[in-house]
Amino acid sequence: MLDVAEGRTDHPGVLPIVQAGDPVLRRPAAPYTGQLGDVLPRLLGAMRRTMHAAPGVGLAAPQVGIGLAIAVCEDAGVPDDPRDRHPLPFRVLVNPRCAPVDDTPDVPFYEGCLSVAGWQAVVARHRRVRLTGQDEHGTALDEVLTGWPARIVQHETDHLHGRLYLDAAVPRSLTSNENLLRHFAGDPDPGRAAQELGFDLPGA
């Protein structure tokens, strides 16, 4: 088990993030049934600090080398963003599940991952999902999320099933973070990138 009190990086309390190619990211996480006991709050605190330091908006336990179905997420949001990026308050997801709640077409946007550092690609995801599971206290979660918060929880839930966002991405859309800014000015709408890079937008 990682020493969540000390961390393994130059920043106290911040954990190293496992990168693509490590088998832990490809194994379905074990359901959490209390295996960590009193260590759980320390792990969650370290995961939250690590997510903020990266920076990112979500982090799953396999991304810090722990194969348990636990994730954290938080996003301040971006006003008037075409991705419907409204705030997502900090929350802990334990044994989460996501399911679409209607037949709305999937929405394609560029997406990145702390475990695929430096790259982004277009992924189509459900715009609205029902999130179920528990929080860190064992309290049941059951809510509908829309827009970017829905994308975040789908991304983190994928991690807990051994999936990376690249598995569902449009390969031709892959770009470095630097090129996304250089050529497309970080535009949240992937339409111009689709024209310039020669790919069709999925789900649109």
Side-chain angles (χ1 to χ4, degrees):
M1 181 185 299
L2 289 173
D3 184 347
V4 301
E6 297 297 330
R8 299 292 188 190
T9 72
D10 294 334
H11 305 284
V14 174
L15 303 172
I17 297 175
V18 173
Q19 292 299 303
D22 191 307
V24 72
L25 294 174
R26 290 309 196 172
R27 298 187 191 111
Y32 183 71
T33 57
Q35 295 95 319
L36 297 178
D38 293 341
V39 175
L40 179 62
R42 288 196 292 152
L43 172 63
L44 296 176
M47 288 177 64
R48 188 179 189 184
R49 289 190 298 273
T50 302
M51 174 180 67
H52 287 166
V57 295
L59 187 70
Q63 293 181 274
V64 293
I66 299 173
L68 294 172
I70 301 169
V72 298
C73 52
E74 183 176 16
D75 186 22
V78 178
D80 302 317
D81 190 292
R83 296 168 293 184
D84 197 9
R85 192 171 172 179
H86 50 271
L88 177 66
F90 177 75
R91 67 192 62 200
V92 176
L93 310 179
V94 176
N95 303 324
R97 293 286 185 273
C98 285
V101 296
D102 55 33
D103 295 327
T104 303
D106 290 351
V107 182
F109 283 117
Y110 267 100
E111 187 172 315
C113 179
L114 299 179
S115 290
V116 189
W119 298 90
Q120 296 189 44
V122 171
V123 180
R125 292 198 185 270
H126 304 305
R127 184 174 179 273
R128 300 180 71 227
V129 296
R130 181 182 180 189
L131 171 67
T132 56
Q134 299 86 41
D135 67 11
E136 66 270 39
H137 306 295
T139 303
L141 298 174
D142 190 344
E143 62 181 309
V144 173
L145 298 173
T146 301
W148 203 253
R151 180 174 292 265
I152 292 170
V153 298
Q154 289 174 82
H155 181 114
E156 299 311 323
T157 301
D158 275 355
H159 272 302
L160 302 179
H161 289 89
R163 299 190 292 262
L164 294 176
Y165 83 98
L166 289 174
D167 298 342
V170 178
R172 198 175 177 102
S173 72
L174 184 68
T175 176
S176 67
N177 291 344
E178 291 82 1
N179 277 335
L180 189 63
L181 288 172
R182 179 181 299 121
H183 297 292
F184 309 112
D187 188 351
D189 184 343
R192 189 158 65 89
Q195 293 178 346
E196 295 283 346
L197 299 179
F199 64 87
D200 295 326
L201 289 175

